């Protein structure tokens, strides 16, 4: 809450970094650069 009150965009990462990696998301390299939007649902972002 403190980061939010300071103006940061904060999201809860359910499952932590381990689940992030298991779902195939990058943690380094060009795909992990700031500004790359990742759907919160873990899907590919397309409505279906």
């Amino acid at each position: 809450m403190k980061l939010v009150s300071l103006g940061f965009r904060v999201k809860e990462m359910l499952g932590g970094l381990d689940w992030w990696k298991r779902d195939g998301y990058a943690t380094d390299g060009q795909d992990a650069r700031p500004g790359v939007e990742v759907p919160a649902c873990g899907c590919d972002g397309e409505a279906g």
Side-chain angles (χ1 to χ4, degrees), residues 22-48:
R22 286 183 192 187
D23 284 346
Y25 294 113
T27 56
D28 60 9
Q30 191 151 19
D31 290 335
R33 70 187 183 280
V36 174
E37 290 294 323
V38 176
C41 63
C43 61
D44 63 3
E46 295 182 18

Side-chain angles (χ1 to χ4, degrees), residues 6-35:
L6 292 171
F8 289 92
R9 290 180 52 198
V10 177
K11 294 185 179 184
E12 182 178 4
M13 186 166 40
L14 299 175
L17 187 57
D18 186 46
W19 283 17
W20 182 263
K21 290 178 181 179
R22 286 183 192 187
D23 284 346
Y25 294 113
T27 56
D28 60 9
Q30 191 151 19
D31 290 335
R33 70 187 183 280

Side-chain angles (χ1 to χ4, degrees), residues 1-10:
M1 291 305 297
K2 187 163 189 150
L3 290 172
V4 171
S5 70
L6 292 171
F8 289 92
R9 290 180 52 198
V10 177

